[in-house]
Structures are given as C-alpha cells and as structure tokens.
Amino acid sequence: MDRLAGIQEFVTVVDAGGFSAAAQKLHLSRSAVGKAVARLEERLGVRLCHRTTRAFTLTSDGNAFYAHCVRILAELDMAEGALASDREQPAGRLRISVPVIFGRYCVAPVIADLSRQYAALRFDVSFTDRPVDLIERL
C-alpha cells in the first residue's frame, strides 16, 4: 500500500479551496481527485472534509492532518532538491597539462579554488614545458 497516495491531492484540494480548482492544478478530472481523497479517508478511517456541491470545509481531523501533510510534503521536496543539487555538482577527475609558468601563476590558483568549492572533483595536473600527447595520456 502506498502511504502517500492521496496526500498530494488532499493538500491541493485544501490549498485550492475545492475539488474543481485542485483538479485543474493537478491536471486531473474532478472525479479522480475526489476518489483519491475518498480512498485516503477510507484508508485512514476518518472523515477529512465535508463536501457538498457548493462548499468544502475541513473537519478538525482534516485540519490537523493537513498541517502534518504540508510539513511532510515540504520535507520530501527538500530531500529531492538535495539529491538534485548533488547531481549538479561537478565530480570526477580533471586532467590538465599546462606550461610551468602559466600553470604556476594562472592555473594553480584556480585549481585551488575549485578543489575547495567542489570536494568531489579530483585533479591530475601536469606542469611541463615539453609537448604532451593528450590522447596518449588517456
């Protein structure tokens, strides 16, 4: 059983102020949203809201459950965001071959900054004035 089933629909209904507006935001039919909330209520064994054709109000249980659901969904968004930001960080090995003087004065400071900023980035740096066959180094 999916314990999160219906929670997004329920929170969206409350935030939107009704099933029709929630259905539009979720790109679902009004019936699908209503059924998702009804299944959630059935699974929980409690009535979360009073609904008529013209009005929607939360029960006291629904109000308390809504507050918890908002926090849970916010935590889930933060967890997903943290994973996404980890994937956006550069990682791996970077091979650099530069002349000695240029490397010492221009490249080394940049590499030092990058290594502090991106811990998952490893550097393989060669400071040499002789010609280097980059393909051979692979």
Side-chain angles (χ1 to χ4, degrees), residues 16-45:
F19 287 85
S20 295
Q24 284 181 332
K25 284 186 176 184
L26 295 170
H27 304 288
L28 297 171
S29 69
R30 186 184 183 287
S31 174
V33 173
K35 287 179 183 177
V37 173
R39 283 191 297 270
L40 177 63
E41 289 176 325
E42 183 179 322
R43 182 172 59 84
L44 296 173

Side-chain angles (χ1 to χ4, degrees), residues 96-110 126-129:
I96 301 171
S97 182
V98 294
V100 176
I101 298 296
F102 178 72
R104 185 172 294 161
Y105 293 107
C106 296
V107 177
V110 173
S126 173
F127 296 109
T128 181
D129 288 326

Side-chain angles (χ1 to χ4, degrees), residues 11-75:
V11 169
T12 305
V13 167
V14 175
D15 290 343
F19 287 85
S20 295
Q24 284 181 332
K25 284 186 176 184
L26 295 170
H27 304 288
L28 297 171
S29 69
R30 186 184 183 287
S31 174
V33 173
K35 287 179 183 177
V37 173
R39 283 191 297 270
L40 177 63
E41 289 176 325
E42 183 179 322
R43 182 172 59 84
L44 296 173
V46 67
R47 191 105 169 131
L48 298 173
C49 57
H50 299 292
R51 46 192 177 270
T52 66
T53 55
R54 295 182 185 259
F56 165 83
T57 58
L58 285 176
T59 63
S60 59
D61 289 334
N63 199 23
F65 188 68
Y66 170 76
H68 289 290
C69 289
V70 167
R71 284 194 300 273
I72 289 167
L73 291 175
E75 286 287 328

